[in-house]
Amino acid sequence: MMESVGVYGFCGCKAKNKMKCDSRWEIAASETAPTSAYSSPARSLGDTGITPLSPSHIVNDTDSNVSEQQSFLVVVAIDFGTTSSGYAYSFTKEPECIHVMRRWEGGDPGVSNQKTPTTILLTPERKFHSFGYAARDFYHDLDPNEAKQWLYLEKFKMKLHTTGDLTMDTDLTAANGKKVKALEIFAYALQYFKEQALKELSDQAGSEFENSDVRWVITVPAIWKQPAKQFMRQAAYQAGLVSPENSEQLIIALEPEAASIYCRKLRLHQMIELSSKAAVNGYSGSDTVGAGFTQAKEHIRRNRQSRTFLVENVIGEIWSELEEGDKYVVVDSGGGTVDLTVHQIRLPEGHLKELYKATGGPYGSLGVDYEFEKLLYKIFGEDFIEQFKIKRPAAWVDLMIAFESRKRAAAPDRTNPLNITLPFSFIDYYKKFRGHSVEHALRKSNVDFVKWSSQGMLRMSPDAMNALFKPTIDSIIEHLRDLFQKPEVSTVKFLFLVGGFAEAPLLQQAVQAAFGDQCRIIIPQDVGLTILKGAVLFGLDPAVIKVRRSPLTYGVGVLNRYVEGKHPPEKLLVKDGTRWCTDVFDKFISADQSVALGELVKRSYTPAKPSQLVIVINIYSSEHDNVSFITDPGVKKCGTLRLDLTGTSGTAVPARREIQTLMQFGDTEIKATAIDIATSKSVKVGIDFLNY
């Protein structure tokens, strides 16, 4: 067994006798790092004889250490959405042309979209069968008894947001109640997009297109916690999009950032302005929201055949009104989550700075589906609905498809009712389950705004449909109000409303009514594709986002000199007559601190004993800023740097051997490196939130 070892780092104080300095640190470098307050990583250290090194230092090195850009022929972005997904691409030689994927087979009445539903079907043997419309239609056509054997999954992306302890082994539940590994499902979906995109690129090029020529971009919500973002990357590795050795080939893009990048390019004819502050593009604030949007949709429909969008290599008119320091909010409202980010413009290049950390929550259009489900509970009983979902899973999917198309027809000024077709098996199964008819259930339920129509439909009044939207829209508005109270967010010039849910006139009207007098509210015309196109632009120029807010506090576990009365007694460790305080959390960077792209924090350490063959440095993170010890609640180990110190025979190794530790921030991934200065050996690690 290898001997347990230590490594030291030193502060920047000016004490003449460094041996007297109180701020000497020792990184606990035992093989594992227990996180109980009484089981300290440092307690297993061997001899602690030390020699100080030069002070540690922090450098804002934003240029020289950003890795050399690899050259790719094409950028392919995948917008992996909760309800719908798609991909788009651009050749690096023609960055002004963004091609949106081929039209999908299938489609729904009342739903015009260039994306496909995020649905996946596995065979009873758990092998991938189909994705999107193809998966849904095949599942729908299965015999009800056979369908129970197949694994059908939809809206599964939300699991990554709602699971507090996400790991590589997290399960998803299929429509038939069977469990399947989330990583497998996400990998299958990404593999499907990879194959579709490479086939389309090969067809276009007239020869086989190599995966190594592609830079991949996958979008994720900004409010996702770090484990979920890392999970997406792991799924991409498993899907064969890229290999861990060539991780730079994949960029994980934050959805509102992608939207923000695209919105910079908007010309006046490519957007609708909702707010009453000014009239743009022929619509004044007094025009109904719906009318302007209908015209815009018509414009998109006419242009849909081409699938190629030209992005002019200039700043759009809206953007040209922005000056240095101007702020704007991007509200990315999708199927599962709503993401709010605040950006500030930096001239002359027009780079973006994240001004306030991403906020939001599970307030996507799925919330409207849940309200509809609650309404069905009220009418038919929760016991029946839950039983129906398991016994007739394909029919339940049909019912929700019917609801989706009527949901999209909801509008503030609608007066005629909305009809939702109930599948025959629903009507039939209800009669067997309860012994009376669906019509009888409606009469008995006292839900007066939903009636039964003789054509076998639920007839909902517009008010009833609007009521289903209300809780979700209220949550979005309340969250925005809170955001607008923050000092960093005062004097916002624009609010960009993007994402699939932004197509809902009810949401548009609510945002306009609440904030139209505070800022100008802009909706890109092809609002459902905004993130997809922005993600392609981000892949072409990842350096456009210059400053982000760190979502977490990062640091390492260290030893400080024990100070009576200041440090807790249980943290006292006496080694060779020296009293140490163990488990001190030494901060590299704080949560919500501004971090420039490529920013490095460097520290210098030295092995505890010259004879050591290995050093191990453990890295920790926390959502809190005021962390004192690595054993504090919420502190998690998220990385280990293990550096081999062998191979120095015959080389003069200095008595005070320097091990330089660097953490690079600012990307959506964070990388740490340890370098043995004597041998130039180095070891790198990505911060890991799933395996500790």
Side-chain angles (χ1 to χ4, degrees), residues 408-423:
R408 287 169 183 264
D413 48 0
R414 190 183 175 100
T415 52
N416 51 331
L418 296 126
N419 295 325
I420 297 158
T421 308
L422 283 181

Side-chain angles (χ1 to χ4, degrees), residues 267-300 302 318 508 512 520-526:
R267 313 293 292 182
L268 287 180
H269 66 275
Q270 295 171 313
M271 64 192 190
I272 303 114
E273 177 148 7
L274 294 186
S275 45
S276 49
K277 281 206 157 187
V280 168
N281 203 15
Y283 307 128
S284 70
S286 59
D287 288 338
T288 65
V289 170
F293 213 74
T294 308
Q295 283 172 284
K297 276 188 167 171
E298 204 43 57
H299 174 79
I300 296 162
R302 284 198 300 274
I318 280 284
Q508 294 172 16
Q512 180 186 2
R520 291 169 61 184
I521 297 161
I522 309 287
I523 304 184
Q525 275 183 352
D526 49 347

